[in-house]
Amino acid sequence: MKTYRFKKLSAMVCAGLMSLSVASMAMAAESMDVNIEDCVQMALNNNHTIKSALADYDAAVWKRHEARRTAGPTLNWTSAARRIGGAAPNDANVNALYSNTVAVSMPIYTGGQLEASMRAADLGLDASEIAIEATKQSIKAKTQAAYFKALNCRNQIKVSQESVNTIEEHLKNVNAQYSVGTVAKTDVLASQVQLSNAQLGLVSAKNNYNVAIAALNNVIGQPADTNLNLKDELDYNPYEISLDSCTQYARDNRPDILAADYKVKIAKAQEDIAGAGNKPKVNAEVSRSFAGEKPFGSDTKQTDFYYSQNTWYMGLGMSWNIFDNNVTQAKVKQSEAATLKAEENAKSLRENSDLEVRTAYLNLNAAAQSIDTAKVAVEKAKEDYKIAQVRYTAGVGTNLDVMDAESKLTTAQSNYYNALYQYNSSKADLDRAMGIMVDLDVNKFKAEPKKN
């Protein structure tokens, strides 16, 4: 008796623990109502690639700061402590010598090197900001693609569920006729097989939807088990902009093309930096030096300059690397090659941009035409299925006709939703190919930055 009670108590405890575990899992899976704008915003806020691009922008800000500060004054302090041995001049008994020099210097003329460095840093900062926009556009397009795929998978569930419901109703009709002996057993078996296939299709459709939601969660930075309730539907809004207009817009606004143009300008600035190696450099400098037996002062008792000094000077200094065995020339040639490469990359990007816009535009038009065709096919398939049902009920049609009509109806409905999906996806691809801005004013990047 005690053993029975113990087993019963153990079973109750295990059941309670399992209930708590299931409840915890249910609580852990968060539910969220979202539309496509919500998903895009979450992706922009959470994406690691965008955060990495922002870090590159911060680095460009400090590189610009470095270039500008290089043109300003610098303060340098040099100090040394030495132990002295051997015979000293004038029989001076000196064992230690300390020296300190404080100097302030500032470049006056660098042959254009500093100016070119600042120009390159300014251009690099703008290019970095454009790169952030390009990354955002890519993430937006990726999010839209994942969202539209999830919507299509949800629609395919609807199609599969309607197929199951339709075949179940037909199976009831077949069973009713079989019970009164008007149809053969083979009709029942064939309808049952078709129902099983439709149920398998429904299972597959639900799984595809779950996978699509998990992928969307990954893109927008949410836990994979988050239940997303998508508030949008795949629809058809005609696109009325011409191909030429789309192509020209992309040439003028695509961030990767703008960034490529900036890289050409940066390469040309690097040419000026390299060429400055053959030009003279002029610096202004003020310094104070003092040395002696004391760490921070001269020894007034010693008159020999070797042991005691307290001097200052100010003036200009010039250096000119007249001949460096053609090292500067080699750097200039490297910079010119880099400029040529940047120019060719910019041309290639423009050509690829035209191709991407044309491809997306043609895909969009093809999908639009497919929507109209698929919509007509759905209406005809519905009518054909009704006729097949009526003929079968009247005894003048076969069960195979009904099943074939139902299969065609399911295919037509699936094709219609696929066409809507292709249209919306192609529209998102076209927006990305054109460079539709997310949150950047592109006009300020179409001219070279002003010099401060």
Side-chain angles (χ1 to χ4, degrees), residues 68-75 103-110 114 281-286 315-317:
R68 292 182 176 276
R69 290 298 178 180
T70 303
T74 58
L75 174 64
V104 178
S105 63
M106 181 174 179
I108 301 299
Y109 175 74
T110 61
L114 288 178
K281 309 292 189 297
V282 179
N283 287 338
E285 185 171 348
V286 177
L316 299 177

Side-chain angles (χ1 to χ4, degrees), residues 71-85:
T74 58
L75 174 64
N76 178 265
W77 171 36
T78 303
S79 181
R82 299 178 179 88
R83 192 72 175 171
I84 298 176

Side-chain angles (χ1 to χ4, degrees), residues 169-407:
E169 290 299 319
H170 174 65
L171 182 58
K172 291 178 182 178
N173 184 25
V174 173
N175 283 325
Q177 295 198 52
Y178 174 72
S179 63
V180 297
T182 57
V183 299
K185 179 68 173 179
T186 55
D187 284 4
V188 177
L189 296 176
S191 299
Q192 289 175 339
V193 170
Q194 190 172 24
L195 177 60
S196 297
N197 291 335
Q199 290 171 338
L200 289 175
L202 178 59
V203 171
S204 178
K206 289 181 177 179
N207 180 68
N208 291 338
Y209 176 74
N210 291 332
V211 172
I213 289 295
L216 179 58
N217 278 322
N218 178 263
V219 173
I220 65 178
Q222 296 298 319
D225 61 347
T226 302
N227 296 320
L228 298 178
N229 301 319
L230 310 183
K231 296 191 293 185
D232 297 308
E233 295 288 345
L234 289 175
D235 56 4
Y236 171 59
N237 295 315
Y239 195 78
E240 299 177 352
I241 303 178
S242 67
L243 174 59
D244 290 339
S245 298
C246 292
T247 301
Q248 188 59 50
Y249 184 93
R251 292 174 181 174
D252 295 337
N253 296 276
R254 271 185 61 142
D256 54 348
I257 292 179
L258 294 176
D261 291 338
Y262 268 77
K263 289 180 180 179
V264 172
K265 296 174 184 178
I266 293 172
K268 290 182 178 179
Q270 294 295 334
E271 285 187 40
D272 295 336
I273 294 173
N278 282 331
K279 298 177 181 179
K281 309 292 189 297
V282 179
N283 287 338
E285 185 171 348
V286 177
S287 70
R288 169 78 183 277
S289 300
F290 46 92
E293 294 182 69
K294 297 179 181 180
F296 296 100
S298 59
D299 187 358
T300 57
K301 295 180 181 180
Q302 297 292 339
T303 58
D304 193 282
F305 182 77
Y306 182 80
Y307 293 104
S308 175
Q309 62 179 3
N310 188 340
T311 60
W312 64 271
Y313 70 86
M314 62 182 299
L316 299 177
M318 186 187 77
S319 64
W320 193 347
N321 196 3
I322 297 176
F323 178 71
D324 61 359
N325 201 26
N326 290 333
V327 171
T328 297
Q329 183 185 15
K331 292 181 179 179
V332 170
K333 293 299 182 182
Q334 291 179 53
S335 300
E336 291 175 350
T339 300
L340 178 59
K341 178 181 179 181
E343 290 173 343
E344 293 301 322
N345 286 339
K347 293 177 183 178
S348 177
L349 276 173
R350 283 184 170 80
E351 293 174 358
N352 291 337
S353 170
D354 291 350
L355 177 60
E356 288 181 14
V357 171
R358 179 175 293 274
T359 300
Y361 193 90
L362 294 176
N363 289 339
L364 184 69
N365 285 341
Q369 296 174 19
S370 298
I371 290 174
D372 294 335
T373 302
K375 190 174 183 179
V376 172
V378 169
E379 297 302 321
K380 292 185 177 297
K382 287 180 178 179
E383 183 179 359
D384 183 52
Y385 179 74
K386 290 179 181 179
I387 294 174
Q389 273 190 316
V390 171
R391 287 174 57 83
Y392 181 75
T393 303
V396 295
T398 66
N399 185 51
L400 182 61
D401 293 336
V402 177
M403 291 190 297
D404 183 59
E406 190 282 326
S407 178

